[in-house]
Each structure stands twice: as C-alpha cells, then as structure tokens.
C-alpha cells in the first residue's frame, strides 16, 4: 500500500492554531499488522478533562532521560550499489524520501557503514589488500578506492547534501588479512604485533573519509567480535579489545586529534559483561564513549545492566535484521517492541536496523558466510522500490523524533508497550504498540488532561502533540 503521511510542519501549524483556542490537538499515524494501514494519518484527537475507567498511559516531560542521536539503517556497500544503479530521477526521489524533512520523507538521521567490506558486499575487501605473504606496516598502500567502486562515498555525499546533520557510525567486519592469525577474511584474530598498525588504519580511514567530505561521528572496534562465522569476520575477546583501545587506538586518536567516538562490543545482548569488563578498566574507559548491541540473542534489558554499571557512558543499538520472506505482523511486533520501544527504554540513544536495501533475491552478499536472506528496509529491483517492514517500523520513530530529542517518562500498562519523547521544539511523541491479542482502548494523559484512543491487536501508532 502506498505510504500516506502528512508533514510534521503541517502538524505543528495545526497544533499552534488550536493552542490559541486553548485546545491541544493530538495527531497520530497508524500501522496495522494486516498491512491495510501503513503509517497512515488518523483523525485528530483533543485533550480534555475526561474521566473514565480506561487504562491510562501518563506522559511526564518533567522526567527526562537520554538524548537521542537518531534512528536509521545500516548502509552496506551492497545497498549503495543498488541505489547507485537506479535511474537518476528514481534515485533522487528515494534519497529525499529517506533523508529529507518534507511531507514525503521519513527523516532518517543516523547511518551505519562498514569499514572495508561487510558480508553484504559483492566481494571481500579491505583498504590495504596485498598479495599472500606481504605486509604493509606503514600502510603505504592504504586506499578507499573500493568505497568509490561500490558508490558508497558518492552516495554518502548526496545524502549529506540532503541532510547535513546526519550522523555516521562506521564498523569493521575484519582487519586486512595480513594482520590476522589465520590470514583469511573469515574468522581469525588480530595479531598483537599489528595492534599499533591497525590503530593507524582506523586513523587513516577517518582522515580519508573526512578528506572525501564524509565526517565519521563514531566507530565500533569490531562488528560481532564473538561471531567469526561471517565472511568477512574477526574474533576479538573482551580482554583483547580492551588492550587494543587502551594501549593503541585511544592514544592514536588522541595523537591525531581525532574526536570520533569509540564504541565497544557491537554484539548481542547475551554478553553485557563484555563491555562492562572493559569499562571497569579506568584507562580503557577514558577513551570510550559507550557500548553497542545487537539482539540476535539475549534480552534488550542488557543495555540497562550496562547503564547501571557505568551510567556515565552511552548505549547504542547498532543492528537487527529481518529475514526474508517478510513476516509483516510478526516482525512489526518484534521491531517496534524490542527495538523502537525496548532499546530506547533501556537507554539506547540510537536505533539502527540491518540493512537499508537488497534486491529481490537478497543480493548482493559475499560467498561462504554472507547473509543469504537479509531483507532490506527496501527492495530495489532496477529502479522499482518496494517498502518492507523495517521501512515502516523505523519511520514510526524517525519521522517524528529528530536528533536532540530526549526520552521522557511514560508508564507501561497491560499490553500497551510504549515510549515517549520530547523534541527540541518542545513537542511530545508517544509510540504505542498493542502486543495483546484483542483490541485495547486506553487514555493518553498529559498535564491533567487526556485523550481516548484505541489500537487493534498487533497495531502500532505514533501520537504527536
């Protein structure tokens, strides 16, 4: 079904106009599990002095939690290739739809890219590939040429022209194979004698991207460091990651004057002790901004465990896939409940889904360890775009919660999972999922007044006032 969404600007005009009449209008957008309604604007609601016996979600903007850096996707090299090959008119329209701020845009404000190839590239590469047996400790052969070949760097420049404030996180799937114990793209570990060289590899990458016009806001040390089964991949235990940061990467960034944030871990919620053990070392911690998580195992509350152990450090939700073929109703509940609501209620300041785009056969990907069924937020077939589950789930947040917003307090009642935000302009956003098996009627209360709403089983709505 075609997306229908009125602009936030239009909402603000309606809110301001009605405020003069001493009424606050609540606008809302709905997605239902049967796909009959996809991010569709609903009739306006008005706050009143209503009394009833319905369960109530109370929003309190006096209780403020973490700042939000953004919502978005992983822009793989494969995604970049597919978008780059679209005809110019279709590509321009898609980029404005994803990254613009007008009535036809969903306002994506954060992207994750790979340092070198990910498993959703068409081939394996690093920025310093050499013939077997050779090494390059001075990194004299370092080159970002492959990111031009895939179209990633030119595409990022187009995206930055549309949204200059978008933030970019970069993650490696592997070091160059000549730095690894097994001399292979898949698996193996970083040789200790190359810790300093690899730190300089990060420095050259960040400086090279900056020269190309791409500012890197943050890096993670290693994508899924406890999973050496992707192609490419690299195994890195917590003690080794901590040592690398403390004695090599942190000092190298400091010496080069690099302000790019360093994020730990970047793996599943079943091992919160991994980032905690590194943050327990004051010297390593001094270089670290926070920790990143995926949710292929464990529970999303692991983020809160890390927050409670080190409340001065940030939390990031950096990846979660949807598998094809699409299971829309199931994935809607999971994506909204665990990611948009669950991750942010557990202190994440970023929520990202994997990945932005694939073709109808889930290509491209690497051989022998590339994901063969990763469903993109969009499917690109030449220049035809199909919007999938991750497009709509992410849009329920990205369209209405800009960078600089803060999570604020709201209570969970019954089957109504929810999270609330305060935008920089002072507007409130409440995202609600009915995770139960029957329709739910409820109140949304704010400053002593309320509106009455209802949601079908499995439906999600974003409320804005």
């Amino acid at each position: 079904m075609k997306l229908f969404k009125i602009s936030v600007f239009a909402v603000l005009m309606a809110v301001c106009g009605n405020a003069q009449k001493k009424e606050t209008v609540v606008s809302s957008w709905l997605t239902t599990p049967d796909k009959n309604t996809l991010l569709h604007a609903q009739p306006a609601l008005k706050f009143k002095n209503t009394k009833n016996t319905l369960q109530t979600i109370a929003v309190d903007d006096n209780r403020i939690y973490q700042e939000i850096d953004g919502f978005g996707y992983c822009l793989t090299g494969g995604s970049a290739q597919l978008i780059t090959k679209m005809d110019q008119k279709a590509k321009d329209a898609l980029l404005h739809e994803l990254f613009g701020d007008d009535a036809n845009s969903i306002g994506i404000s954060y992207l994750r890219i790979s340092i070198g190839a990910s498993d959703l590239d068409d081939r394996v590469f690093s920025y310093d590939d050499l013939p077997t047996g050779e090494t390059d400790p001075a990194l004299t052969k370092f080159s970002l040429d492959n990111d031009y070949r895939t179209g990633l760097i030119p595409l990022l420049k187009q995206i930055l022209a549309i949204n200059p404030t978008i933030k970019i996180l970069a993650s490696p799937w592997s070091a160059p194979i000549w730095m690894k114990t097994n001399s292979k793209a898949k698996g193996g570990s970083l040789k200790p004698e190359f810790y300093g060289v690899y730190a300089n590899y990060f420095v050259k990458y960040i400086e090279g991207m900056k020269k190309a016009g791409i500012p890197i806001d943050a890096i993670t040390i290693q994508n899924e460091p406890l999973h050496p089964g992707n192609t490419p991949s690299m195994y890195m235990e917590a003690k080794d990651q901590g040592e690398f940061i403390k004695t090599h990467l942190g000092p190298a960034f400091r010496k080069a004057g690099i302000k790019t944030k360093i994020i730990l871990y970047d793996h599943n919620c079943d091992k919160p002790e991994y980032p905690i053990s590194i943050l327990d070392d004051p010297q390593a911690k001094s270089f670290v901004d926070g920790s990143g998580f995926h949710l292929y195992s464990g529970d999303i509350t692991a983020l809160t465990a890390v927050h409670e152990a080190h409340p001065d450090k940030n939390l990031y939700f950096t990846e979660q896939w949807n598998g094809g073929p699409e299971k829309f109703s199931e994935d809607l509940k999971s994506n909204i409940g665990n990611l948009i609501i669950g991750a942010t209620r557990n202190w994440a300041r970023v929520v990202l889904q994997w990945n932005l785009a694939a073709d109808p056969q889930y290509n491209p990907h690497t051989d022998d360890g590339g994901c063969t069924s990763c469903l993109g937020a969009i499917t690109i077939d030449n220049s035809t775009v199909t919007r999938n589950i991750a497009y709509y789930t992410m849009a329920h947040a990205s369209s209405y919660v800009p960078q600089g917003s803060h999570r604020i307090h709201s209570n969970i009642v019954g089957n109504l999972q929810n999270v609330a935000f305060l935008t920089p302009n002072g507007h409130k956003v409440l995202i609600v999922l009915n995770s139960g098996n029957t329709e739910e009627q409820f109140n949304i209360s704010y400053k002593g007044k309320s509106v009455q709403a209802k949601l079908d089983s499995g439906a999600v709505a974003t409320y804005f006032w």
Side-chain angles (χ1 to χ4, degrees):
M1 176 172 285
K2 181 177 172 62
L3 171 71
F4 178 82
K5 178 175 73 69
I6 64 172
S7 69
V8 171
F9 177 78
V11 173
L12 298 184
M13 294 302 99
V15 170
C16 293
N18 281 281
Q20 296 175 1
K21 304 174 186 177
K22 306 301 181 182
E23 295 177 335
T24 300
V25 171
V26 178
S27 300
S28 63
W29 295 266
L30 176 70
T31 296
T32 56
D34 59 10
K35 299 179 70 173
N36 285 333
T37 303
L38 295 170
L39 202 65
H40 200 289
Q42 301 299 293
L45 305 171
K46 295 179 181 179
F47 277 109
K48 299 177 181 178
N49 292 313
T50 303
K51 292 184 178 180
N52 56 48
T53 59
L54 296 176
Q55 54 194 342
T56 298
I57 300 171
V59 175
D60 183 358
D61 57 7
N62 290 313
R63 299 168 68 179
I64 299 178
Y65 306 107
Q66 81 273 20
E67 186 173 350
I68 300 300
D69 282 344
F71 296 89
Y73 302 106
C74 303
L75 177 59
T76 61
S79 295
Q81 283 184 300
L82 292 169
I83 295 171
T84 299
K85 291 176 181 177
M86 297 173 70
D87 70 57
Q88 191 65 46
K89 183 177 180 181
K91 181 176 73 170
D92 289 347
L94 176 63
L95 293 181
H96 279 87
E97 177 182 337
L98 293 172
F99 303 106
D101 61 358
D102 60 24
N104 296 314
S105 303
I106 64 170
I108 294 302
S109 53
Y110 207 103
L111 288 172
R112 179 177 178 232
I113 61 175
S114 61
I115 299 175
S118 77
D119 62 301
L120 292 189
D121 272 277
D122 64 347
R123 68 189 75 169
V124 174
F125 63 87
S126 77
Y127 302 125
D128 200 326
D129 291 326
L130 303 172
T132 301
E134 293 187 16
T135 63
D136 182 23
L139 300 174
T140 59
K141 297 182 179 179
F142 183 96
S143 172
L144 296 175
D145 284 353
N146 268 303
D147 283 347
Y148 285 96
R149 176 188 65 82
T150 63
L152 178 64
I153 287 176
L155 184 62
L156 287 170
K157 294 175 77 169
Q158 293 174 66
I159 292 169
L160 283 161
I162 295 168
N163 179 4
T165 66
I166 197 166
K167 294 187 176 184
I168 300 170
L169 165 68
S171 304
W173 266 238
S174 175
I177 64 173
W178 52 269
M179 297 186 191
K180 298 174 68 177
T181 55
N182 66 349
S183 299
K184 295 179 180 179
K186 185 177 182 178
S189 298
L190 183 65
K191 291 181 178 180
E193 61 263 36
F194 287 122
Y195 276 19
V197 179
Y198 195 42
N200 290 331
Y201 182 89
F202 277 94
V203 171
K204 288 183 75 70
Y205 170 74
I206 292 166
E207 291 179 340
M209 291 296 275
K210 181 179 179 181
K211 186 177 180 180
I214 314 297
I216 303 299
D217 181 67
I219 56 98
T220 65
I221 308 301
Q222 171 62 40
N223 173 71
E224 299 188 345
L226 299 179
H227 174 48
N230 281 135
T231 300
S233 57
M234 187 170 76
Y235 184 76
M236 182 178 277
E237 294 184 356
K239 61 182 177 61
D240 299 321
Q241 188 166 123
E243 184 66 21
F244 174 66
I245 293 168
K246 177 171 65 174
T247 62
H248 297 283
L249 186 64
F253 275 23
R254 183 170 57 196
K255 181 180 178 180
I258 287 175
K259 303 300 182 183
T260 298
K261 302 178 184 74
I262 295 174
I263 298 173
L264 300 173
Y265 190 43
D266 200 13
H267 207 172
N268 286 329
C269 289
D270 59 344
K271 299 289 184 182
E273 64 271 19
Y274 188 117
I276 289 173
S277 69
I278 300 173
L279 294 172
D280 283 344
D281 181 336
Q283 191 176 350
K285 180 178 180 177
S286 68
F287 294 113
V288 172
D289 177 83
S291 306
F293 284 88
H294 307 176
L295 191 58
Y296 302 113
S297 62
D299 191 275
I300 196 65
T301 56
L303 278 68
T304 289
V306 178
H307 171 78
E308 290 176 346
H310 292 277
D312 56 332
K313 295 299 177 182
N314 294 313
L315 278 302
Y316 299 83
F317 191 88
T318 52
E319 178 187 318
Q320 192 70 19
W321 82 315
N322 289 294
E326 182 178 79
K327 301 177 288 293
F328 192 90
S329 61
E330 177 183 328
D331 291 338
L332 179 65
K333 185 180 293 187
S334 175
N335 289 187
I336 295 290
N338 287 323
L339 311 185
I340 303 300
I341 295 172
T344 53
R345 287 190 76 97
N346 284 280
W347 298 96
R349 58 193 296 134
V350 165
V351 179
L352 305 175
Q353 291 195 253
W354 175 265
N355 66 313
L356 177 55
D359 76 7
Q361 290 75 44
Y362 315 116
N363 291 318
H365 57 76
T366 60
D367 296 330
D368 185 33
C371 182
T372 59
S373 57
C374 282
L375 179 69
I378 56 174
T379 298
I380 298 179
D381 187 0
N382 295 316
S383 292
T384 300
V385 176
T386 302
R387 294 154 189 83
N388 302 319
I389 178 64
Y391 175 94
Y392 294 104
T393 54
M394 194 56 64
H396 266 280
S398 63
S399 296
Y400 314 104
V401 185
Q403 284 178 5
S405 299
H406 285 80
R407 179 171 67 92
I408 57 177
H409 184 76
S410 62
N411 59 307
I412 300 292
V413 290
N415 294 315
L416 297 172
Q417 298 182 50
N418 66 83
V419 65
F421 302 94
L422 179 68
T423 75
N425 289 330
H427 297 96
K428 275 63 65 180
V429 181
L430 176 69
I431 302 170
V432 184
L433 166 70
N434 177 3
S435 61
N437 296 321
T438 59
E439 178 189 273
E440 296 277 358
Q441 296 189 41
F442 57 99
N443 298 319
I444 301 169
S445 73
Y446 175 72
K447 293 190 181 302
K449 294 187 177 183
S450 64
V451 296
Q452 187 172 327
K454 64 180 180 179
L455 278 177
D456 289 337
S457 171
V460 57
T462 298
Y463 301 92
F464 183 99
W465 68 94

